[in-house]
Amino acid sequence: MRKLTRVKNLIIGLAMIVVALVLFQWPKFGTPMIMLITGFGLLAYGIYSLVFYATMAVHMVGGKSIFYRGILLLDLGVFMLAAYRGAEKLIFLYLMVLLLASGGIDLVRALDFRKQGAAWKTRAFFGIVSILILIAGFVYRKNPDTMVYIFCLALLSSALNRIITAFRKTAVIYIPQ
């Protein structure tokens, strides 16, 4: 990982912590902020993926998967922004599905990393944390502020993961000729 990428991950992680703390302080403004943050984030990443596809990935093996991912993320971002008013239950369900997918993928990748002998414990830890946040969300789904707290916990977990990744030493392997 390059130094610029490390600094970018550190800044993004710290910004995520600030947003989570602000949302913890004022949970009544949290639902519209979650929809806006998630919607614009998905929209921006979808546009980024499509631009990356058009400029570089069109010539790569597996480039079509980047194209399809960009279209899917763009659609999900537009969906989030279109459902801005009055769809708290739908957004809550959407957030729970994202937590389930994120936790499941982290756990599967951790098991795969363990088989390969790579560092797997932090990925497994964050996968378990995502699943636990998901379970807590379903237990306390009657509380209207639950979605805000679940989003804040997931944001803090993701920020912590980014910060840990930014400070992790990258292994360099030299292949002799």
Side-chain angles (χ1 to χ4, degrees), residues 27-116:
K28 64 181 176 181
F29 301 118
T31 304
M33 289 301 295
I34 289 170
M35 288 193 243
L36 287 175
I37 289 169
T38 308
F40 281 121
L42 288 170
L43 198 65
Y45 196 66
I47 291 171
Y48 168 77
S49 294
L50 290 177
V51 168
F52 178 70
Y53 171 76
T55 57
M56 187 177 292
V58 71
H59 305 292
M60 293 170 41
V61 174
K64 283 193 181 192
S65 66
I66 294 171
F67 175 71
Y68 295 139
R69 180 180 59 195
I71 293 292
L72 178 67
L73 292 174
L74 195 66
D75 287 344
L76 290 174
V78 169
F79 171 71
M80 286 289 285
L81 293 175
Y84 179 70
R85 294 275 183 214
E88 284 88 16
K89 299 248 187 242
L90 182 64
I91 301 303
F92 179 74
L93 183 63
Y94 184 65
L95 182 62
M96 293 296 115
V97 169
L98 285 176
L99 280 171
L100 178 67
S102 172
I105 288 170
D106 279 346
L107 288 175
V108 168
R109 288 186 70 192
L111 291 174
D112 189 40
F113 285 175
R114 184 177 180 196
K115 286 179 188 175
Q116 295 174 3

Side-chain angles (χ1 to χ4, degrees), residues 99-113 120-131 157-158 161:
L99 280 171
L100 178 67
S102 172
I105 288 170
D106 279 346
L107 288 175
V108 168
R109 288 186 70 192
L111 291 174
D112 189 40
F113 285 175
W120 60 275
K121 292 179 184 175
T122 55
R123 186 166 300 275
F125 173 74
F126 285 110
I128 291 170
V129 166
S130 292
I131 299 296
S157 171
S158 180
N161 193 9

Side-chain angles (χ1 to χ4, degrees), residues 162-173:
R162 275 187 181 267
I163 291 171
I164 288 171
T165 303
F167 286 112
R168 181 178 293 143
K169 193 169 191 140
T170 305
V172 177
I173 300 173

